[in-house]
Amino acid sequence: MSRNAFFRRIISILRASWATIWLFGIPKDLWSLLCVWPTLFLAVVCYLREPSSGGVQLIVLAAIWDVNLGAWLTISAMKKGRNALLAMLVSLRDCIYVPIGWSRIVGKHNVDILEQSSLLEYMRRLGLPYNHGQDVRFFRVEVGHSGMIPGGLGVFTIPFIETVILVREDVLENAPVEDRFGLYHELGHTLGDEFAARSALHKGVKLPLAALTLAAVAMQSGAASFRTLAACLLALSLVALTLRRRSKNSRARFEMNADQFAIGFLNDREKEYVLQNAALVLPEDEDLSALEHQTRVAGLRSFIETGESLTYTHPGMSPWAFIVETQLTALNLGAWMILLSRFIGAPSPDLLYRFRWLLGALIVLSVLRYAIHYAKGLLIELIFIRRVTWQDGRFKLRRGPSWSPYDDAATA
Amino acid sequence: MLDEAQELTLIRSVLVETFPAECRRVGNANLTDIVKLRGRVTVVPIKDGARLDWTAALLVLASSATFVSQCLNITRHIFDANNGRMDGALIRIEQKNVMSHVHQSGGNGEEGRIVVVNEIEVPLSPEVLDRLGPAVIDKLIAALTAYLAARHREGSN
């Protein structure tokens, strides 16, 4: 890898970290406050109710807890894509990965479509940087001596860090319509704003649940306190059900958005083919019901014929419905948590000292997990630049001159 | 009889003729590698991160390429022994649990020679064996022998 390319990746990792913290670590409404900082919320309410030096320590402890647990869950959301990519590269062993420039994937006349993608619009709206030219990379997989062939198009998205797409040939050269459509469809997912919703849904109610569990340990025992805790858990269950329903409903919309994004890259003849064979081109998706699949097929046909998007003309949720569904449930949960704080009382002044070992272990584990996550990223890079290769039945660090495909890709 | 390039062309054309949908599905690069390696490829399914799955089509093509390549070897012996004729040559295919057996014996040629009976065994996974039923294997063999016969006629002319 050239020095510039290496620094580009370092900068992109820092940028991605900042974007991740901004989006997922800083609450912007009541629900985010309860979801991202639930323990801190509870600790602050406890302090306001009964100010004490132990209460301040509890706030510090809660903040460290929330940051650590939040980082843990964020890495969990990220690691799925990275682990899947690494497992794939290990399985493919001696394959060679030749980077393909964007020009081999997207023709010059289609570049504008990328600029209109919902992810880029989303990031621009938030003032966050995103460069799809660097953050979405394509590799052509060339078969090695052992004859390993990937069984499909591989798309591995690591939110904010990068997306790696493994293809078998340049899609601009003689690739079947199905493959071209499939690739652009996946690109539509990658360059769609759905990642934010998906990441939030992945976190779900894990953090508030952890906070309530801690509160259950700390609160005074009694009938009233247990009733309040039960009410908190009930409110949380309602929130979980709401999130689950939203996750289920959003899947079809995400697929339809990606379909429409893909259509923009096809020529008139290919669009006609997709129109005639929409049911065949769109594979059955096990996460969609039969009705949702039919709607998807109809939506694609309608989009090709009229250019109008069903998902845009009939939005699933009005702004008021969105507020009712998110903030009202959060308000309900928040009210019960405020009531719960009454039973926690003022903590002892040596709280931080008593929890020092737990705190230390938590921080060390989090840092370790973060390091492992990025070490895997480094290993992936080393495989791509052939510094780590399959030799004598195992992966080895290769000595000798570096092979830098990135410069070749830039000129491709 | 056939040089390597011709052999690769033959295997490719037999696959394209017998499995047009699968060949279209997996694209040129996959088909070329399957043919070049005479089917000795291992398909690695992409469990996470894949939406476009070729695995089933690749498995069928890879198994078929191995099968065609081995049939070609034996058919070539029969052709050579019969001076380019398939008169009386018998190709019999039996399918067992996870194997496909092909028995080939040359019949009496003009000079009354008997060609040694050959047998090949192609190990196939059960799911591929289901796809490569007797009818499909017959079609593969028919495409193979038709191609060879056509080439032989061209050579004679």
Side-chain angles (χ1 to χ4, degrees):
Chain A
M1 199 186 306
S2 71
R3 181 171 288 189
N4 283 344
F6 180 76
F7 282 120
R8 270 207 306 270
R9 299 238 36 97
I10 294 288
I11 290 167
S12 76
I13 287 170
L14 292 175
R15 199 185 61 218
S17 300
W18 153 239
T20 312
I21 292 166
W22 197 92
L23 273 180
F24 301 117
I26 299 174
K28 297 164 197 73
D29 52 29
L30 182 59
W31 169 239
S32 304
L33 180 67
L34 283 181
C35 187
V36 180
W37 300 97
T39 323
L40 182 66
F41 174 81
L42 208 52
V44 168
V45 175
C46 285
Y47 178 76
L48 291 177
R49 191 180 286 280
E50 202 175 328
S52 67
S53 63
V56 175
Q57 290 190 25
L58 183 66
I59 290 174
V60 173
L61 196 64
I64 294 170
W65 169 264
D66 279 341
V67 166
N68 269 283
L69 216 58
W72 193 273
L73 289 176
T74 303
I75 293 173
S76 293
M78 287 179 176
K79 83 180 175 98
K80 194 182 173 201
R82 180 160 278 167
N83 284 355
L85 174 59
L86 187 58
M88 192 67 209
L89 298 185
V90 169
S91 298
L92 288 172
R93 292 190 190 119
D94 59 353
C95 286
I96 296 163
Y97 303 93
V98 182
I100 306 176
W102 272 86
S103 59
R104 307 295 308 163
I105 303 292
V106 176
K108 281 178 188 168
H109 53 288
N110 285 327
V111 173
D112 291 346
I113 301 173
L114 296 173
E115 292 299 325
Q116 294 160 9
S117 72
S118 54
L119 172 61
L120 266 59
E121 281 179 11
Y122 182 83
M123 298 298 265
R124 273 197 293 263
R125 203 164 58 235
L126 297 175
L128 295 170
Y130 190 85
N131 184 348
H132 65 265
Q134 288 174 14
D135 297 336
V136 181
R137 296 187 291 165
F138 300 88
F139 290 91
R140 190 175 66 242
V141 184
E142 290 190 355
V143 68
H145 297 297
S146 53
M148 301 286 180
I149 285 184
L153 171 76
V155 182
F156 303 91
T157 299
I158 304 147
F160 289 107
I161 304 292
E162 64 170 347
T163 294
V164 169
I165 302 181
L166 303 179
V167 297
R168 285 286 286 137
E169 54 198 325
D170 293 5
V171 289
L172 292 183
E173 289 179 2
N174 305 321
V177 182
E178 291 90 342
D179 280 13
R180 280 168 51 73
F181 180 83
L183 176 63
Y184 296 132
H185 171 93
E186 293 308 323
L187 207 54
H189 281 302
T190 298
L191 296 181
D193 59 4
E194 63 193 73
F195 70 97
R198 279 182 192 277
S199 299
L201 292 171
H202 175 80
K203 277 188 178 177
V205 295
K206 290 181 184 112
L207 280 166
L209 189 63
L212 287 180
T213 310
L214 289 177
V217 175
M219 73 182 189
Q220 301 150 12
S221 59
S225 60
F226 280 114
R227 271 200 300 274
T228 311
L229 183 66
C232 278
L233 290 171
L234 185 66
L236 195 61
S237 307
L238 289 175
V239 173
L241 283 174
T242 309
L243 287 178
R244 196 173 167 188
R245 191 169 64 84
R246 201 189 309 162
S247 168
K248 199 167 180 296
N249 292 343
S250 60
R251 178 66 195 254
R253 190 163 49 84
F254 292 153
E255 292 301 325
M256 289 171 78
N257 285 343
D259 290 342
Q260 289 156 17
F261 182 79
I263 284 297
F265 293 93
L266 305 185
N267 60 37
D268 289 342
R269 192 170 47 79
E270 290 171 327
K271 282 179 191 169
E272 183 62 27
Y273 176 84
V274 175
L275 183 65
Q276 301 298 331
N277 303 283
L280 292 174
V281 173
L282 296 178
E284 292 280 351
D285 190 329
E286 60 186 20
D287 292 331
L288 299 183
S289 67
L291 181 63
E292 284 174 327
H293 180 70
Q294 284 172 11
T295 309
R296 186 184 169 194
V297 172
L300 181 61
R301 285 187 173 134
S302 165
F303 185 72
I304 295 172
E305 284 177 330
T306 66
E308 286 187 15
S309 165
L310 288 183
T311 53
Y312 292 136
T313 50
H314 302 288
M317 193 182 284
S318 70
W320 276 111
F322 182 79
I323 288 171
V324 168
E325 203 174 287
T326 55
Q327 303 311 307
L328 210 61
T329 47
L331 201 65
N332 182 20
L333 177 63
W336 285 112
M337 282 172 82
I338 289 170
L339 205 59
L340 186 69
S341 67
R342 198 180 127 199
F343 303 103
I344 293 174
S348 64
D350 62 342
L351 188 75
L352 274 180
Y353 183 77
R354 282 199 292 136
F355 278 91
R356 66 189 187 284
W357 293 111
L358 182 67
L359 211 61
L362 195 71
I363 293 170
V364 167
L365 279 176
S366 291
V367 170
L368 203 62
R369 193 168 195 226
Y370 200 72
I372 291 170
H373 178 65
Y374 279 99
K376 283 180 183 174
L378 185 65
L379 180 60
I380 288 170
E381 291 302 320
L382 291 175
I383 291 175
F384 279 147
I385 63 168
R386 299 187 212 168
R387 266 290 173 194
V388 169
T389 55
W390 183 255
Q391 300 166 41
D392 306 326
R394 63 192 178 100
F395 280 106
K396 283 182 184 170
L397 196 64
R398 184 184 60 81
R399 296 182 188 283
S402 283
W403 179 79
S404 176
Y406 294 93
D407 298 332
D408 301 340
T411 56
Chain B
M1 187 178 72
L2 293 174
D3 60 29
E4 192 179 353
Q6 289 172 323
E7 193 174 322
L8 295 184
T9 308
L10 171 58
I11 296 172
R12 191 185 183 97
S13 68
V14 168
L15 292 183
V16 170
E17 187 173 318
T18 318
F19 301 102
E22 280 81 358
C23 290
R24 180 182 162 78
R25 189 85 197 82
V26 305
N28 286 324
N30 281 318
L31 188 59
T32 301
D33 284 333
I34 281 173
V35 171
K36 257 189 199 167
L37 295 169
R38 313 287 201 281
R40 289 188 306 277
V41 294
T42 306
V43 181
V44 180
I46 304 180
K47 285 170 190 158
D48 292 311
R51 293 288 187 280
L52 197 64
D53 194 2
W54 311 313
T55 307
L58 281 170
L59 283 173
V60 165
L61 290 177
S63 301
S64 305
T66 314
F67 191 78
V68 171
S69 177
Q70 296 195 26
C71 286
L72 186 63
N73 278 336
I74 292 180
T75 315
R76 188 157 44 199
H77 288 308
I78 299 171
F79 256 63
D80 290 347
N82 285 319
N83 294 322
R85 292 178 58 174
M86 287 291 284
D87 298 358
L90 174 71
I91 298 177
R92 185 162 56 85
I93 299 143
E94 288 176 2
Q95 280 188 295
K96 295 185 182 172
N97 287 341
V98 286
M99 290 280 184
S100 196
H101 296 256
V102 182
H103 309 271
Q104 289 148 326
S105 60
N108 293 331
E110 284 178 351
E111 298 167 9
R113 280 194 302 173
I114 303 293
V115 178
V116 177
V117 174
N118 297 285
E119 180 174 326
I120 58 170
E121 286 188 351
V122 184
L124 299 169
S125 63
E127 62 268 26
V128 173
L129 196 67
D130 286 343
R131 298 282 303 273
L132 288 184
V136 176
I137 293 179
D138 281 349
K139 198 177 168 193
L140 276 170
I141 300 292
L144 175 68
T145 49
Y147 185 93
L148 287 171
R151 283 198 59 82
H152 182 70
R153 274 199 303 276
E154 279 172 19
S156 303
N157 291 338

